[in-house]
């Protein structure tokens, strides 16, 4: 608990800005993207609504959190934190907890705006909470692995490329069949497709159960990302 409080205090100056960014991103995807289309049908509204929280979690886990770590490396606080008499995994868990908590207000705001803007009827599954937690942990694991392994400059470039690909060339806010065949095939391996599927199928659940394949693939990505991040974080210098 003390480590969690210490982490929150370190980030207190830019946590409000992160909250504003997350809410603005979620609302912008739901409302702003709909302005790009001459007519928004129910399928488009469903994709934009379910895609907004995914983009929020991807932005937090794969962009904002890694760049915060990159900045801490430049300031020297990263090495200071590693010198504390606590497990390195505990440091990562505290950082991840604060980042995830920061992301969820934007997630809720985006869904509320979507409900008002598109007049959608949600059928939230009992798997929604674990599904979004898995999405958040997967994004955090991959993002931390990037920031721990790369230099601050390289981390910044990779994060910018990640958010660009996720927003414009990933089947998060639109169906995968709109992509070129080669790019759609690439997304059969990357986690973005499965994040979007979990979001859609838990916010607008059918009579069937959850997509086990999506949960399994994302769990593998999550495990690989977290294990790699912990190994790099625990490496002695």
């Amino acid at each position: 608990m003390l480590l969690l409080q210490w982490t929150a205090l370190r980030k207190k100056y830019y946590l409000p800005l992160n909250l504003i960014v997350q809410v603005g991103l979620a609302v912008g995807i739901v409302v702003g993207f709909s302005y790009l289309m001459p007519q928004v049908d129910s399928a488009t509204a469903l994709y934009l609504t379910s895609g907004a929280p995914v983009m929020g979690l991807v932005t937090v886990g794969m962009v904002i959190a890694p760049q915060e770590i990159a900045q801490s490396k430049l300031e020297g606080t990263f090495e200071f934190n590693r010198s504390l008499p606590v497990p390195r995994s505990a440091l990562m868990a505290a950082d991840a907890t604060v980042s995830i908590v920061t992301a969820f207000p934007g997630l809720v705001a985006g869904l509320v705006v979507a409900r008002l803007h598109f007049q959608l009827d949600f059928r939230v599954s009992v798997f929604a909470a674990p599904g979004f937690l898995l999405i958040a942990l997967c994004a955090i694991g991959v993002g931390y692995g990037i920031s721990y392994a790369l230099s601050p400059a390289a981390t910044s470039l990779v994060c910018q490329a990640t958010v660009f690909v996720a927003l414009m060339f990933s089947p998060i806010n639109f169906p995968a069949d709109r992509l070129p065949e080669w790019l759609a095939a690439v997304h059969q391996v990357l986690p973005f497709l499965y994040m979007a599927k979990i979001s859609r199928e838990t916010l607008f659940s059918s009579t069937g159960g959850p997509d086990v394949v999506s949960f399994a693939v994302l769990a593998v990505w999550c495990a690989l990302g977290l294990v790699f991040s912990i190994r790099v974080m625990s490496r002695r210098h």
Side-chain angles (χ1 to χ4, degrees):
M1 182 59 69
L2 290 176
L3 185 58
L4 189 61
Q5 292 174 353
W6 160 251
T7 303
L9 285 173
R10 285 193 296 109
K11 299 184 176 186
K12 67 179 181 180
Y13 294 108
Y14 49 84
L15 278 179
L17 180 59
N18 283 354
L19 287 170
I20 294 172
V21 169
Q22 290 308 304
V23 172
L25 177 65
V27 173
I29 289 175
V30 170
V31 179
F33 274 31
S34 65
Y35 293 153
L36 299 175
M37 305 167 189
Q39 184 176 1
V40 178
D41 55 20
S42 58
T44 300
L46 184 148
Y47 271 89
L48 292 178
T49 300
S50 60
V54 174
M55 277 304 309
L57 294 175
V58 167
T59 302
V60 168
M62 297 186 183
V63 181
I64 294 178
Q67 290 185 332
E68 289 176 355
I69 294 172
Q71 183 63 29
S72 72
K73 286 183 177 181
L74 294 174
E75 296 172 349
T77 54
F78 180 76
E79 288 302 324
F80 171 77
N81 291 336
R82 283 162 57 94
S83 69
L84 295 175
V86 295
R88 303 285 172 81
S89 57
L91 289 170
M92 195 175 77
D95 268 334
T97 300
V98 173
S99 296
I100 290 173
V101 170
T102 304
F104 274 93
L107 186 154
V108 173
L111 295 179
V112 171
V113 170
R115 174 68 180 86
L116 297 174
H117 188 64
F118 296 131
Q119 299 298 309
L120 291 173
D121 292 324
F122 291 97
R123 290 189 297 171
V124 181
S125 165
V126 294
F127 297 99
F132 279 105
L133 181 60
L134 181 60
I135 293 171
L137 288 175
C138 179
I140 286 285
V142 173
Y144 280 8
I146 292 170
S147 59
Y148 291 159
L150 301 180
S151 67
T155 296
S156 180
L157 289 174
V158 172
C159 289
Q160 292 175 32
T162 299
V163 72
F164 177 71
V165 170
L167 186 62
M168 303 300 297
F169 298 102
S170 296
I172 294 177
N173 296 307
F174 55 83
D177 57 16
R178 295 184 184 178
L179 293 171
E181 289 186 7
W182 68 269
L183 188 53
V186 170
H187 279 292
Q188 294 294 321
V189 179
L190 297 178
F192 302 120
L193 171 66
Y194 305 100
M195 291 177 173
K197 283 185 176 182
I198 289 175
S199 178
R200 284 195 303 274
E201 292 169 2
T202 57
L203 291 177
F204 303 94
S205 61
S206 61
T207 54
D211 185 351
V212 177
V213 173
S214 295
F215 273 84
V217 172
L218 213 58
V220 171
W221 268 98
C222 181
L224 291 175
L226 292 175
V227 169
F228 177 76
S229 298
I230 292 174
R231 285 178 64 92
V232 176
M233 183 65 165
S234 303
R235 186 185 302 161
R236 294 183 179 273
H237 294 277

